[in-house]
Amino acid sequence: MYTIGAGGNRGSVCDSSFSISGRTDTLTGTFCLRSSALEFWLITLSPIKRRLVYVTIFEIIAIISSTFVLMLLSNSSAAESLPVAIMVSLAAVIWNFIYNTAFENWERRKQVMQRTFFIRSAHAIGFEGGLVLICLPLYMIWYDVGFIKAFMMEAALLLFFLVYTFFFTLGFDKIFTLPHHYKSASAS
């Protein structure tokens, strides 16, 4: 069951605000009626739902974007690059789950209490290294290219995803807050 609350936002440029709350999710926002624009929109989800929404939106945009990147890198059509982008996306999601499960098990066995810069770096290098090993043969077979060309394609996509992930996560965190982030922001 969801509850809806609404009220004026006095002392602000905006005229009204609202909040829709369920058992584990909250949607809040403030509308600027005078300027006909949305001032801000926060969606608070439970951690599991947040991860699912994150992966879904991230991968949809990633598939579309990487299709265009692969088209440029391979001089191929969208019809030829879209299946590769989907396969790489699927491989990345599966590899992410397997790798992070194994990594967290290793941390638990070694009783790692804090993820230091070194541990985070090792985690990132291990993840990307595994993904390269998965993707290189795919590019070589699908596009009928040699190792060097496939490696260059993967390096270009790696750089693209480095920038894309940073900006996507930045935007995602602005819209989809964690429950404890929303509570601390609304208290101040």
mmCIF file of all heavy atoms in Angstrom, residues 8-36:
data_model
loop_
_atom_site.group_PDB
_atom_site.id
_atom_site.type_symbol
_atom_site.label_atom_id
_atom_site.label_comp_id
_atom_site.label_asym_id
_atom_site.label_seq_id
_atom_site.Cartn_x
_atom_site.Cartn_y
_atom_site.Cartn_z
ATOM 1 N N GLY A 8 2.397 22.620 0.160
ATOM 2 C CA GLY A 8 3.067 23.770 -0.429
ATOM 3 C C GLY A 8 4.515 23.811 0.004
ATOM 4 O O GLY A 8 4.895 23.262 1.029
ATOM 5 N N ASN A 9 5.315 24.469 -0.763
ATOM 6 C CA ASN A 9 6.728 24.586 -0.480
ATOM 7 C C ASN A 9 7.007 26.070 -0.257
ATOM 8 O O ASN A 9 7.504 26.748 -1.132
ATOM 9 C CB ASN A 9 7.528 24.010 -1.656
ATOM 10 C CG ASN A 9 8.966 23.777 -1.303
ATOM 11 O OD1 ASN A 9 9.402 24.133 -0.214
ATOM 12 N ND2 ASN A 9 9.701 23.182 -2.224
ATOM 13 N N ARG A 10 6.664 26.587 0.910
ATOM 14 C CA ARG A 10 6.768 28.020 1.186
ATOM 15 C C ARG A 10 8.222 28.464 1.275
ATOM 16 O O ARG A 10 9.074 27.715 1.705
ATOM 17 C CB ARG A 10 6.050 28.348 2.482
ATOM 18 C CG ARG A 10 4.576 28.083 2.335
ATOM 19 C CD ARG A 10 3.799 28.554 3.516
ATOM 20 N NE ARG A 10 2.402 28.234 3.260
ATOM 21 C CZ ARG A 10 1.618 27.682 4.148
ATOM 22 N NH1 ARG A 10 2.048 27.417 5.344
ATOM 23 N NH2 ARG A 10 0.373 27.413 3.840
ATOM 24 N N GLY A 11 8.466 29.682 0.877
ATOM 25 C CA GLY A 11 9.818 30.215 0.924
ATOM 26 C C GLY A 11 10.659 29.749 -0.240
ATOM 27 O O GLY A 11 11.854 29.919 -0.253
ATOM 28 N N SER A 12 10.040 29.119 -1.215
ATOM 29 C CA SER A 12 10.748 28.574 -2.350
ATOM 30 C C SER A 12 10.156 29.133 -3.635
ATOM 31 O O SER A 12 9.065 29.690 -3.644
ATOM 32 C CB SER A 12 10.624 27.051 -2.337
ATOM 33 O OG SER A 12 11.050 26.501 -3.543
ATOM 34 N N VAL A 13 10.861 28.930 -4.724
ATOM 35 C CA VAL A 13 10.372 29.339 -6.032
ATOM 36 C C VAL A 13 9.257 28.408 -6.484
ATOM 37 O O VAL A 13 8.435 28.750 -7.293
ATOM 38 C CB VAL A 13 11.529 29.311 -7.063
ATOM 39 C CG1 VAL A 13 11.056 29.724 -8.423
ATOM 40 C CG2 VAL A 13 12.662 30.175 -6.579
ATOM 41 N N CYS A 14 9.212 27.214 -5.918
ATOM 42 C CA CYS A 14 8.266 26.204 -6.362
ATOM 43 C C CYS A 14 6.976 26.272 -5.565
ATOM 44 O O CYS A 14 6.949 26.711 -4.431
ATOM 45 C CB CYS A 14 8.895 24.822 -6.229
ATOM 46 S SG CYS A 14 10.370 24.657 -7.230
ATOM 47 N N ASP A 15 5.896 25.802 -6.186
ATOM 48 C CA ASP A 15 4.579 25.908 -5.599
ATOM 49 C C ASP A 15 4.142 24.669 -4.816
ATOM 50 O O ASP A 15 3.352 24.786 -3.889
ATOM 51 C CB ASP A 15 3.536 26.189 -6.675
ATOM 52 C CG ASP A 15 3.745 27.553 -7.286
ATOM 53 O OD1 ASP A 15 3.948 28.517 -6.526
ATOM 54 O OD2 ASP A 15 3.713 27.632 -8.516
ATOM 55 N N SER A 16 4.561 23.480 -5.207
ATOM 56 C CA SER A 16 4.063 22.296 -4.511
ATOM 57 C C SER A 16 5.098 21.192 -4.507
ATOM 58 O O SER A 16 5.981 21.142 -5.330
ATOM 59 C CB SER A 16 2.775 21.800 -5.176
ATOM 60 O OG SER A 16 3.043 21.373 -6.488
ATOM 61 N N SER A 17 4.941 20.323 -3.528
ATOM 62 C CA SER A 17 5.811 19.157 -3.437
ATOM 63 C C SER A 17 4.948 17.960 -3.113
ATOM 64 O O SER A 17 3.806 18.096 -2.700
ATOM 65 C CB SER A 17 6.878 19.361 -2.360
ATOM 66 O OG SER A 17 6.274 19.486 -1.096
ATOM 67 N N PHE A 18 5.504 16.783 -3.304
ATOM 68 C CA PHE A 18 4.745 15.574 -3.015
ATOM 69 C C PHE A 18 5.684 14.478 -2.542
ATOM 70 O O PHE A 18 6.893 14.540 -2.723
ATOM 71 C CB PHE A 18 3.972 15.095 -4.253
ATOM 72 C CG PHE A 18 4.871 14.587 -5.341
ATOM 73 C CD1 PHE A 18 5.195 13.250 -5.417
ATOM 74 C CD2 PHE A 18 5.394 15.459 -6.274
ATOM 75 C CE1 PHE A 18 6.034 12.794 -6.419
ATOM 76 C CE2 PHE A 18 6.225 15.010 -7.273
ATOM 77 C CZ PHE A 18 6.546 13.666 -7.342
ATOM 78 N N SER A 19 5.092 13.470 -1.943
ATOM 79 C CA SER A 19 5.842 12.301 -1.499
ATOM 80 C C SER A 19 4.928 11.094 -1.617
ATOM 81 O O SER A 19 3.784 11.130 -1.186
ATOM 82 C CB SER A 19 6.300 12.475 -0.049
ATOM 83 O OG SER A 19 6.958 11.319 0.389
ATOM 84 N N ILE A 20 5.409 10.047 -2.244
ATOM 85 C CA ILE A 20 4.676 8.791 -2.353
ATOM 86 C C ILE A 20 5.540 7.737 -1.681
ATOM 87 O O ILE A 20 6.675 7.522 -2.082
ATOM 88 C CB ILE A 20 4.420 8.407 -3.825
ATOM 89 C CG1 ILE A 20 3.651 9.507 -4.543
ATOM 90 C CG2 ILE A 20 3.672 7.078 -3.895
ATOM 91 C CD1 ILE A 20 3.536 9.305 -6.040
ATOM 92 N N SER A 21 5.005 7.082 -0.647
ATOM 93 C CA SER A 21 5.799 6.116 0.108
ATOM 94 C C SER A 21 5.126 4.761 0.132
ATOM 95 O O SER A 21 3.920 4.663 0.316
ATOM 96 C CB SER A 21 5.996 6.586 1.551
ATOM 97 O OG SER A 21 6.705 7.779 1.570
ATOM 98 N N GLY A 22 5.917 3.761 -0.031
ATOM 99 C CA GLY A 22 5.479 2.375 0.111
ATOM 100 C C GLY A 22 6.265 1.735 1.227
ATOM 101 O O GLY A 22 6.948 2.407 2.005
ATOM 102 N N ARG A 23 6.217 0.438 1.306
ATOM 103 C CA ARG A 23 6.934 -0.254 2.364
ATOM 104 C C ARG A 23 8.442 -0.046 2.258
ATOM 105 O O ARG A 23 9.113 0.196 3.245
ATOM 106 C CB ARG A 23 6.623 -1.747 2.285
ATOM 107 C CG ARG A 23 6.234 -2.309 3.588
ATOM 108 C CD ARG A 23 5.752 -3.716 3.536
ATOM 109 N NE ARG A 23 5.830 -4.319 2.220
ATOM 110 C CZ ARG A 23 6.106 -5.580 2.002
ATOM 111 N NH1 ARG A 23 6.308 -6.393 2.990
ATOM 112 N NH2 ARG A 23 6.151 -6.062 0.785
ATOM 113 N N THR A 24 8.981 -0.141 1.051
ATOM 114 C CA THR A 24 10.432 -0.045 0.896
ATOM 115 C C THR A 24 10.875 1.051 -0.060
ATOM 116 O O THR A 24 12.068 1.260 -0.227
ATOM 117 C CB THR A 24 11.014 -1.380 0.381
ATOM 118 O OG1 THR A 24 10.380 -1.685 -0.863
ATOM 119 C CG2 THR A 24 10.801 -2.496 1.375
ATOM 120 N N ASP A 25 9.955 1.741 -0.704
ATOM 121 C CA ASP A 25 10.321 2.719 -1.715
ATOM 122 C C ASP A 25 9.652 4.059 -1.428
ATOM 123 O O ASP A 25 8.555 4.110 -0.908
ATOM 124 C CB ASP A 25 9.866 2.260 -3.103
ATOM 125 C CG ASP A 25 10.330 0.856 -3.417
ATOM 126 O OD1 ASP A 25 11.487 0.550 -3.128
ATOM 127 O OD2 ASP A 25 9.522 0.072 -3.942
ATOM 128 N N THR A 26 10.343 5.131 -1.791
ATOM 129 C CA THR A 26 9.768 6.466 -1.649
ATOM 130 C C THR A 26 10.068 7.258 -2.904
ATOM 131 O O THR A 26 11.185 7.233 -3.413
ATOM 132 C CB THR A 26 10.378 7.204 -0.430
ATOM 133 O OG1 THR A 26 10.155 6.425 0.730
ATOM 134 C CG2 THR A 26 9.747 8.577 -0.266
ATOM 135 N N LEU A 27 9.056 7.952 -3.392
ATOM 136 C CA LEU A 27 9.212 8.844 -4.530
ATOM 137 C C LEU A 27 8.861 10.231 -4.038
ATOM 138 O O LEU A 27 7.778 10.451 -3.520
ATOM 139 C CB LEU A 27 8.263 8.418 -5.656
ATOM 140 C CG LEU A 27 8.118 9.338 -6.855
ATOM 141 C CD1 LEU A 27 9.434 9.411 -7.608
ATOM 142 C CD2 LEU A 27 7.019 8.827 -7.755
ATOM 143 N N THR A 28 9.809 11.162 -4.129
ATOM 144 C CA THR A 28 9.539 12.527 -3.688
ATOM 145 C C THR A 28 9.908 13.482 -4.806
ATOM 146 O O THR A 28 10.763 13.177 -5.631
ATOM 147 C CB THR A 28 10.352 12.907 -2.433
ATOM 148 O OG1 THR A 28 11.730 12.815 -2.751
ATOM 149 C CG2 THR A 28 10.024 12.013 -1.266
ATOM 150 N N GLY A 29 9.272 14.615 -4.818
ATOM 151 C CA GLY A 29 9.605 15.595 -5.834
ATOM 152 C C GLY A 29 9.003 16.941 -5.511
ATOM 153 O O GLY A 29 8.121 17.049 -4.671
ATOM 154 N N THR A 30 9.505 17.941 -6.173
ATOM 155 C CA THR A 30 8.967 19.284 -6.037
ATOM 156 C C THR A 30 8.758 19.829 -7.440
ATOM 157 O O THR A 30 9.660 19.785 -8.260
ATOM 158 C CB THR A 30 9.943 20.191 -5.271
ATOM 159 O OG1 THR A 30 10.153 19.631 -3.980
ATOM 160 C CG2 THR A 30 9.396 21.587 -5.144
ATOM 161 N N PHE A 31 7.564 20.305 -7.698
ATOM 162 C CA PHE A 31 7.268 20.868 -9.002
ATOM 163 C C PHE A 31 7.318 22.382 -8.926
ATOM 164 O O PHE A 31 6.789 22.972 -7.999
ATOM 165 C CB PHE A 31 5.872 20.443 -9.473
ATOM 166 C CG PHE A 31 5.782 19.004 -9.834
ATOM 167 C CD1 PHE A 31 5.134 18.108 -8.998
ATOM 168 C CD2 PHE A 31 6.346 18.536 -11.007
ATOM 169 C CE1 PHE A 31 5.045 16.782 -9.328
ATOM 170 C CE2 PHE A 31 6.254 17.203 -11.340
ATOM 171 C CZ PHE A 31 5.603 16.323 -10.510
ATOM 172 N N CYS A 32 7.937 22.994 -9.902
ATOM 173 C CA CYS A 32 7.946 24.448 -10.027
ATOM 174 C C CYS A 32 6.844 24.803 -11.012
ATOM 175 O O CYS A 32 7.044 24.743 -12.220
ATOM 176 C CB CYS A 32 9.292 24.944 -10.555
ATOM 177 S SG CYS A 32 10.638 24.589 -9.451
ATOM 178 N N LEU A 33 5.687 25.131 -10.496
ATOM 179 C CA LEU A 33 4.542 25.403 -11.359
ATOM 180 C C LEU A 33 4.700 26.710 -12.112
ATOM 181 O O LEU A 33 4.244 26.842 -13.230
ATOM 182 C CB LEU A 33 3.245 25.396 -10.535
ATOM 183 C CG LEU A 33 2.922 24.063 -9.859
ATOM 184 C CD1 LEU A 33 1.655 24.203 -9.021
ATOM 185 C CD2 LEU A 33 2.763 22.965 -10.891
ATOM 186 N N ARG A 34 5.340 27.686 -11.510
ATOM 187 C CA ARG A 34 5.501 28.989 -12.167
ATOM 188 C C ARG A 34 6.365 28.885 -13.411
ATOM 189 O O ARG A 34 6.117 29.510 -14.406
ATOM 190 C CB ARG A 34 6.105 29.997 -11.206
ATOM 191 C CG ARG A 34 5.137 30.399 -10.119
ATOM 192 C CD ARG A 34 5.736 31.489 -9.252
ATOM 193 N NE ARG A 34 4.958 31.558 -8.032
ATOM 194 C CZ ARG A 34 5.464 31.594 -6.836
ATOM 195 N NH1 ARG A 34 6.773 31.625 -6.669
ATOM 196 N NH2 ARG A 34 4.701 31.651 -5.776
ATOM 197 N N SER A 35 7.435 28.087 -13.316
ATOM 198 C CA SER A 35 8.335 27.982 -14.461
ATOM 199 C C SER A 35 8.039 26.755 -15.311
ATOM 200 O O SER A 35 8.732 26.499 -16.281
ATOM 201 C CB SER A 35 9.787 27.932 -13.970
ATOM 202 O OG SER A 35 9.986 26.766 -13.194
ATOM 203 N N SER A 36 7.013 25.991 -14.929
ATOM 204 C CA SER A 36 6.637 24.774 -15.652
ATOM 205 C C SER A 36 7.811 23.826 -15.805
ATOM 206 O O SER A 36 7.975 23.188 -16.835
ATOM 207 C CB SER A 36 6.051 25.116 -17.022
ATOM 208 O OG SER A 36 4.902 25.891 -16.878
#
